[in-house]
Amino acid sequence: MDLEALRLAENFFQSRKPEAVPAVRAFLTGALERWPEAEIVTQKSQVGVRCPRPFCALWVPGKHVRGRATPGAAISLFLPRPLQTERLIMAVEPYPGRFTNHLVLSTPEEVDEALWAWAAEAKRFRCGE
């Protein structure tokens, strides 16, 4: 596990939205446990997970997203379809057949089997098996 990459990602959220750190930590450590070949990349505006292509990204939303307060981070999953879930903030299709699904990630408990299934689908879609 790349602890330095994990530290940089946590610092990214600690400086912008500290209450998001537990949920972000839960997702990133779980991703590295599930996919040891994955890489965490902290950029200026987001933290991406790639293997070798990016398949998801975590970022800090504004104060309100679609009229509701956002107490945590947001996660974007790159999928071949829009998700059908109440957790979805928005799905956009930046390229034909490629949807970016934005979800709020507020607590470690939201890092559940449904999120892992969607993340695994995103990894297969973007990186293959």
Side-chain angles (χ1 to χ4, degrees):
M1 184 178 296
D2 187 348
L3 296 178
E4 179 61 17
L6 187 59
R7 185 189 65 76
L8 288 172
E10 287 181 0
N11 286 345
F12 173 89
F13 283 93
Q14 185 66 42
S15 65
R16 291 167 175 81
K17 202 145 194 185
E19 63 271 23
V21 171
V24 168
R25 181 183 301 128
F27 181 80
L28 293 176
T29 56
L32 291 176
E33 289 169 2
R34 282 171 171 71
W35 307 298
E37 71 280 10
E39 181 182 9
I40 298 170
V41 180
T42 300
Q43 298 170 322
K44 191 181 272 190
S45 62
Q46 67 184 15
V47 174
V49 182
R50 64 184 187 193
C51 185
R53 292 187 182 122
F55 61 93
C56 69
L58 296 119
W59 47 281
V60 177
K63 288 185 179 184
H64 297 277
V65 175
R66 295 186 104 185
R68 60 181 170 177
T70 54
I75 184 167
S76 299
L77 299 168
F78 311 132
L79 294 165
R81 64 185 177 90
L83 290 174
Q84 301 298 319
T85 176
E86 68 280 350
R87 295 165 70 172
L88 184 69
I89 300 167
M90 178 188 329
V92 294
E93 188 177 17
Y95 302 102
R98 181 175 153 192
F99 290 83
T100 303
N101 293 273
H102 305 291
L103 301 100
V104 171
L105 184 61
S106 300
T107 66
E109 292 75 32
E110 291 176 334
V111 182
D112 59 8
E113 289 308 312
L115 183 60
W116 288 123
W118 297 326
E121 181 183 352
K123 182 180 176 294
R124 282 190 306 274
F125 175 62
R126 295 288 294 147
C127 309
E129 286 297 323

